[in-house]
């Protein structure tokens, strides 16, 4: 019985040690996560993005969102097959083939 | 044989027998006590290990997020660096190396500190992880690190007046207490500051601000302030149904990241002043709509009623207009073309009691109950006595000073159907605020018509606000600034402002903007009126931020823009 108790004691100590290690790694992962989040936010500063959009304008053609970018439902070409298939819209807008027809 | 007999004899002896039993009992008890203790120890929770994480807990601070979840303020771990000079041997070499890591250090001063016999000094209140690593790699005894958390604002100057900034209050080698000094950081100090981070489930405060909208507003405001040569400016956009402030910008602003050091202090304190919330100004013609609202509320007149608009005198002071009006004008025209005489007549009809009533209903006679402390301590400046001349001047915005936020709130109530709202900086659920009625629905409807006419009428003071995308309504205001000796007004220095509501087919937002001492020199003649300084800025603001707030363009706006 003494031996059994002795073994349990050591097992529990080992388990506690493992818990400690895990908690430590969770803590450091959390810290890392926090820093990465802050860094990501810092990289996404609106003034920086604005400059980048200007710099890469010819590649990306990004412009600020404009009221003209809204279109009404009646302006949307839904395709000939089905009126409810929204995927057709995306394909058409991407390829532009349907519009040319 | 002999010996076994002797043993038997010995065992048969009654005394020996009982001694043996006693001895074995004692041994048994001893063993059971020891194994009992072992079992007890093994089964017991080991407190020392479990409490490990508690020792790691240091006081921390919650994140501040915008309404979309973008991080506006967060706490990061860093380190402070202190030095014990008596543990350092080659002092000049170390000073040189430290200068390599921190280019801003003064090597001579540092060397002096190392040599003057002191036992301890702070090198840096906070260092970046990269600098910490470089210091660590020096492998130099005598350089120590203290554990620190510091406040980081990823977007720098963005929304700095709303978020506020923090300062390190008390600090020691491994302890530093961060305290909010202004804005949300101060207003929510108790919520933000936490002692046991692991026990707090919700680790952020979510504001009503919309980061993309805020960024666009600040961008346009700064550009326009520069273009108009204005000293300062401010813009606030608020939801008129639940009082959520979507964007609030005050220029000039500051970078809160630079305020965190306990040693650094910015010399120019005016940059911390929140001009939208703390600045009270005489607003000029934007006040004219209030006496109209009160008259409509009490059925004293309708928008078509004709009012005498000839110049007149009150106690030898002449009330007159800059532009020519007919001898009688409709209230519609008085507001659209902004007549001081007409407005003064209306105020006299409404009377002292009426004006005071409408001001109190719209929240213009007390501080705005926003969560921020800056708002709670900003009292409007009301006239001391309400003679006829005061009634007249107050009706067109002189003799009474309020903040831009006051105006935004008052116009929000005029435009939302007449329901009271309290501006808030926190994200709320649409249904959470139960609102009491302060104005009749019909009054609000009439006011919206009137405000739209200021924009759509060809003679309106805000006609250049006519947009092909949105139906907008609002009122301009230009007030001369009081001269420095407080005896009269300065003709060449004005505060120009505009308060508007959009989209008018279903009003959702109020926008209030002002520029301090603007002058538009891009026209044939220099112009200081709101109609040529603030109004073009507001048009740009609405057309830029509208799409970001999911305000879809209105077909009717396009028709009326083309004159159809």
């Amino acid at each position: 019985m003494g031996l059994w108790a002795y073994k349990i004691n050591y097992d529990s100590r080992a388990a506690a040690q493992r818990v400690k290690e895990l908690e430590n790694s969770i803590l450091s992962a959390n810290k890392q996560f926090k820093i990465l989040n802050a860094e990501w936010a810092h990289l996404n500063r609106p003034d920086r993005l604005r400059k980048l959009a200007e710099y890469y304008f010819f590649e990306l053609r990004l412009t600020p969102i404009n009221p003209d970018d809204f279109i009404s439902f009646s302006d949307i070409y839904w395709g000939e097959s089905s009126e409810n298939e929204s995927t057709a819209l995306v394909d058409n807008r991407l390829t532009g083939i349907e519009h040319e027809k | 044989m002999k010996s076994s007999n002797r043993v038997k004899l010995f065992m048969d002896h009654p005394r020996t027998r009982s001694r043996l039993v006693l001895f074995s009992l004692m041994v048994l008890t001893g063993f059971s006590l020891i194994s009992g203790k072992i079992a007890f120890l093994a089964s017991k929770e080991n407190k020392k290990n479990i409490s490990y994480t508690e020792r790691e807990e240091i006081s921390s601070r919650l994140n501040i997020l915008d309404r979309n979840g973008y991080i506006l303020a967060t706490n990061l771990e860093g380190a402070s660096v202190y030095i014990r000079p008596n543990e350092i041997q080659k002092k000049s070499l170390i000073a040189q190396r430290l200068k390599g890591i921190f280019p801003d250090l003064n090597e001579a001063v540092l060397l002096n500190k190392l040599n003057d016999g002191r036992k301890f000094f702070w090198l840096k209140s906070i260092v970046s992880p990269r600098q910490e690593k470089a210091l660590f790699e020096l492998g130099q005894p005598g350089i120590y690190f203290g554990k620190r958390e510091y406040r980081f604002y990823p977007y720098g100057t963005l929304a700095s007046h709303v978020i506020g900034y923090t300062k390190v209050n008390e600090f020691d080698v491994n302890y530093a207490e961060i305290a909010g000094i202004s804005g949300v950081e101060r207003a929510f100090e108790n919520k933000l500051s936490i002692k046991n981070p692991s026990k707090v489930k919700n680790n952020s405060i979510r504001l009503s601000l919309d980061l993309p909208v805020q960024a666009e507003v600040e961008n346009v405001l700064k550009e326009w302030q520069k273009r108009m040569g204005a000293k300062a400016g401010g813009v606030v956009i608020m939801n008129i149904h639940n009082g959520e402030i979507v964007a609030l910008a005050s220029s000039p602003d500051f970078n809160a990241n630079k305020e965190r050091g306990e040693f650094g202090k910015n010399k120019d304190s005016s940059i911390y002043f929140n001009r939208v919330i703390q600045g009270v100004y005489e607003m000029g013609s934007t006040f004219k709509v209030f006496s109209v609202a009160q008259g409509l509320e009490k059925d004293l007149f309708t928008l078509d009623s004709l009012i005498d608009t000839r110049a007149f005198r009150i106690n030898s002071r002449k009330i007159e207009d800059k532009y020519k009006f007919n001898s009688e004008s409709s209230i519609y025209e008085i507001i659209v073309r902004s007549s001081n005489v007409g407005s003064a007549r209306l105020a006299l009809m409404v009377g002292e009691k009426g004006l005071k009533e409408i001001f109190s209903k719209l929240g213009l006679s007390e501080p705005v109950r926003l969560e921020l402390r800056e708002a709670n301590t900003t009292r409007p400046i009301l006239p001391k006595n309400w003679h006829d001349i005061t009634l007249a001047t107050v009706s067109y915005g002189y003799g009474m000073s309020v903040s831009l936020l006051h105006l935004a709130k008052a116009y929000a109530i005029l435009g939302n159907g007449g329901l009271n709202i309290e501006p808030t900086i926190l994200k709320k659920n649409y249904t959470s605020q139960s609102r009491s009625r302060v104005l009749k629905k019909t009054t609000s409807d009439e006011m919206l018509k009137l405000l739209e006419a200021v924009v759509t009428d060809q003679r309106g003071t805000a006609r250049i606000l006519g947009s092909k995308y949105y139906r907008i309504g609002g009122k301009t205001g230009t007030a001369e600034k009081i001269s420095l000796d407080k005896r009269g007004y300065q003709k060449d220095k004005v505060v120009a402002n505009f308060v508007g509501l959009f989209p008018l087919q279903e009003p959702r937002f109020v926008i209030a903007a002002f520029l301090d001492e603007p002058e538009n020199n891009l026209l044939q003649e220099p112009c200081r009126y709101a109609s040529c300084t603030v109004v073009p800025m507001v048009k740009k603001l609405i057309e830029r931020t509208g799409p970001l707030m999911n305000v879809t363009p209105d077909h009717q706006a396009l028709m009326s823009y083309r004159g159809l």
Side-chain angles (χ1 to χ4, degrees):
Chain A
M1 182 160 155
L3 266 177
W4 169 80
Y6 186 77
K7 188 180 175 302
I8 289 291
N9 192 349
Y10 266 75
D11 283 354
S12 70
R13 272 188 205 195
Q17 182 68 26
R18 175 116 181 86
V19 167
K20 187 168 132 184
E21 279 164 17
L22 281 175
E23 276 174 352
N24 245 349
S25 67
I26 289 171
L27 258 174
S28 76
N30 271 339
K31 271 180 215 161
Q32 198 71 18
F33 185 62
K34 238 181 153 178
I35 291 172
L36 287 172
N37 265 335
E39 208 171 301
W40 181 239
H42 188 63
L43 287 173
N44 281 308
R45 294 188 311 279
D47 53 336
R48 180 173 176 270
L49 294 185
R50 212 175 284 129
K51 274 180 200 155
L52 285 177
E54 275 169 26
Y55 190 79
Y56 291 105
F57 181 76
F58 289 106
E59 286 89 345
L60 302 170
R61 308 251 166 210
L62 291 174
T63 52
I65 184 168
N66 188 286
D68 278 328
D69 298 337
F70 286 89
I71 52 170
S72 70
F73 270 105
S74 57
D75 294 336
I76 299 172
Y77 181 76
W78 291 96
E80 282 161 29
S81 54
S82 161
E83 286 191 359
N84 300 324
E85 250 182 71
S86 57
T87 47
L89 161 78
V90 177
D91 292 345
N92 291 341
R93 284 194 81 175
L94 280 178
T95 58
I97 295 166
E98 293 295 319
H99 286 290
E100 279 165 24
K101 272 185 194 172
Chain B
M1 198 61 196
K2 227 178 182 181
S3 62
S4 68
N5 277 341
R6 277 169 75 177
V7 169
K8 211 182 165 191
L9 271 173
F10 181 68
M11 291 287 282
D12 282 345
H13 198 281
R15 248 171 100 178
T16 313
R17 216 184 155 89
S18 61
R19 273 181 191 170
L20 265 176
V21 170
L22 192 70
F23 178 71
S24 41
L25 265 177
M26 274 167 69
V27 169
L28 201 67
T29 320
F31 265 103
S32 49
L33 269 175
I34 289 167
S35 37
K37 182 71 181 171
I38 290 172
F40 175 71
L41 282 175
S43 65
K44 210 174 90 175
E45 275 187 38
N46 196 330
K47 276 201 177 144
K48 207 177 167 190
N49 280 335
I50 301 295
S51 68
Y52 177 77
T53 48
E54 275 175 18
R55 277 188 282 129
E56 276 291 293
E57 283 165 5
I58 44 168
S59 69
S60 188
R61 222 169 154 80
L62 296 184
N63 286 353
I64 301 176
L65 308 179
D66 90 326
R67 66 184 305 120
N68 312 303
Y70 294 116
I71 300 169
L72 299 176
T74 185
N75 257 29
L76 292 182
E77 249 181 51
S80 58
V81 183
Y82 59 97
I83 290 182
R84 297 188 195 280
N86 51 4
E87 294 174 27
I88 295 177
Q89 301 297 324
K90 295 171 184 167
K91 288 180 172 140
S92 56
L93 180 73
I94 286 303
Q96 206 180 339
R97 287 199 174 156
L98 288 177
K99 170 82 183 163
I101 298 170
F102 305 103
D104 56 324
L105 279 181
N106 185 334
E107 205 178 320
V109 174
L110 182 65
L111 203 58
N112 189 29
K113 276 186 182 173
L114 286 170
N115 285 321
D116 67 0
R118 64 178 82 191
K119 286 181 179 163
F120 168 100
F121 70 91
W122 288 99
L123 183 70
K124 284 274 169 190
S125 60
I126 196 90
V127 295
S128 70
R130 193 171 295 164
Q131 288 167 331
E132 188 183 345
K133 193 166 170 260
L135 279 174
F136 201 71
E137 281 170 359
L138 281 182
Q140 175 64 42
I143 300 176
Y144 293 89
F145 300 99
K147 207 171 177 185
R148 281 281 188 282
E149 284 214 351
Y150 66 93
R151 203 68 171 149
F152 180 61
Y153 305 89
Y155 301 106
T157 59
L158 206 77
S160 53
H161 284 101
V162 178
I163 304 166
Y165 66 100
T166 51
K167 221 174 104 179
V168 176
N169 253 0
E170 292 171 24
F171 63 99
D172 199 354
V173 282
N174 47 21
Y175 167 81
E177 193 187 274
I178 301 173
I181 299 297
S182 71
V184 170
E185 293 277 24
R186 175 166 185 165
F188 296 98
E189 176 65 35
N190 290 342
K191 256 191 194 176
L192 284 168
S193 155
I194 39 171
K195 292 281 175 273
N196 292 327
S198 63
K199 285 179 189 162
V200 179
K201 280 180 188 155
N202 182 14
N203 66 348
S204 59
I205 283 188
R206 200 172 272 245
L207 303 186
S208 60
L209 287 188
D210 192 331
L211 186 85
V213 179
Q214 175 77 23
E216 206 54 55
V217 166
E218 288 191 14
N219 191 26
V220 173
L221 173 67
K222 277 180 191 162
E223 182 195 323
W224 226 261
Q225 187 192 339
K226 208 169 153 191
R227 210 183 271 191
M228 295 295 140
K231 222 167 72 173
V235 177
V236 55
I237 300 179
M238 185 170 82
N239 184 317
I240 60 170
H241 299 294
N242 57 9
E244 282 180 356
I245 292 174
V246 183
L248 192 154
S250 166
S251 176
D253 53 16
F254 60 93
N255 185 347
N257 286 322
K258 293 189 176 153
E259 313 300 326
R260 63 169 182 247
E262 58 267 31
F263 311 122
K265 273 180 195 159
N266 208 313
K267 298 281 182 296
D268 180 15
S269 60
S270 74
I271 54 168
Y272 304 117
F273 186 70
N274 189 334
R275 285 170 168 81
V276 175
I277 295 178
Q278 292 172 290
V280 291
Y281 304 92
E282 289 180 317
M283 290 297 186
S285 304
T286 22
F287 260 59
K288 283 178 183 158
V289 295
F290 301 136
S291 37
V292 176
Q294 178 67 3
L296 292 174
E297 190 72 8
K298 298 286 172 198
D299 296 321
L300 296 177
F301 42 71
T302 65
L303 294 185
D304 298 321
S305 304
L306 291 175
I307 304 290
D308 187 353
T309 37
R310 287 171 299 179
F312 70 110
R313 285 182 184 277
I314 303 175
N315 303 338
S316 80
R317 242 184 91 175
K318 196 173 182 188
I319 312 277
E320 58 185 341
D321 279 314
K322 290 187 189 82
Y323 305 106
K324 197 172 159 27
F325 279 81
N326 293 334
S327 57
E328 278 192 331
S329 307
S330 67
I331 292 176
Y332 178 87
E333 195 178 340
I334 288 172
I335 295 299
V336 166
R337 293 184 58 206
S338 202
S339 158
N340 286 357
V341 177
S343 177
R345 293 266 187 215
L346 290 178
L348 293 172
M349 285 169 78
V350 167
E352 181 189 336
K353 205 179 145 206
L355 267 191
K356 279 185 178 168
E357 189 185 337
I358 190 80
F359 287 156
S360 121
K361 275 181 178 175
L362 299 178
L364 291 167
S365 41
E366 57 186 22
V368 180
R369 255 183 270 153
L370 186 71
E371 294 89 349
L372 303 185
R373 193 185 147 87
E374 288 89 338
N376 296 320
T377 50
T378 306
R379 287 203 155 270
I381 303 171
L382 300 169
K384 286 192 185 79
N385 44 49
W386 293 78
H387 302 308
D388 281 357
I389 185 69
T390 321
L391 290 182
T393 57
V394 163
S395 82
Y396 53 82
Y398 281 93
M400 177 168 165
S401 304
V402 297
S403 70
L404 199 66
L405 189 64
H406 276 103
L407 269 192
K409 179 188 170 180
Y411 272 69
I413 297 173
L414 291 180
N416 72 5
L419 302 170
N420 192 24
I421 58 152
E422 290 301 342
T424 174
I425 199 67
L426 295 178
K427 195 181 176 193
K428 295 262 160 84
N429 294 326
Y430 270 76
T431 48
S432 67
Q433 211 176 33
S434 63
R435 297 170 298 159
S436 58
R437 178 165 290 285
V438 289
L439 294 178
K440 287 191 281 197
K441 178 83 172 67
T442 50
T443 308
S444 169
D445 292 344
E446 292 285 287
M447 292 310 296
L448 284 174
K449 269 189 227 162
L450 194 59
L451 292 174
E452 185 169 20
V454 179
V455 177
T456 54
D457 193 302
Q458 284 310 303
R459 301 163 301 166
T461 50
R463 58 186 176 276
I464 44 170
L465 191 56
S467 162
K468 62 178 172 178
Y469 304 113
Y470 300 120
R471 282 172 60 198
I472 308 163
K475 183 78 191 80
T476 55
T478 312
E480 288 166 4
K481 289 174 87 171
I482 293 182
S483 61
L484 297 175
D485 57 2
K486 295 193 175 178
R487 287 182 187 169
Y489 288 89
Q490 312 179 67
K491 287 256 175 276
D492 56 340
K493 287 184 177 165
V494 298
V495 170
N497 62 82
F498 178 85
V499 193
L501 294 151
F502 71 100
L504 281 191
Q505 71 271 24
E506 201 186 319
R508 277 171 62 195
F509 297 104
V510 60
I511 176 166
F514 90 99
L515 289 173
D516 192 356
E517 298 182 16
E519 188 174 285
N520 189 344
N521 289 316
L522 306 166
L523 306 169
Q524 283 174 337
E525 281 177 43
C527 170
R528 296 190 194 94
Y529 289 113
S531 55
C532 48
T533 53
V534 177
V535 174
M537 175 174 91
V538 170
K539 181 174 180 179
K540 193 160 189 187
L541 280 172
I542 293 178
E543 290 185 350
R544 281 282 189 86
T545 59
L548 294 173
M549 297 187 290
N550 274 333
V551 183
T552 47
D554 184 29
H555 187 61
Q556 210 181 323
L558 182 62
M559 301 290 268
S560 71
Y561 182 77
R562 288 181 176 160
L564 297 170

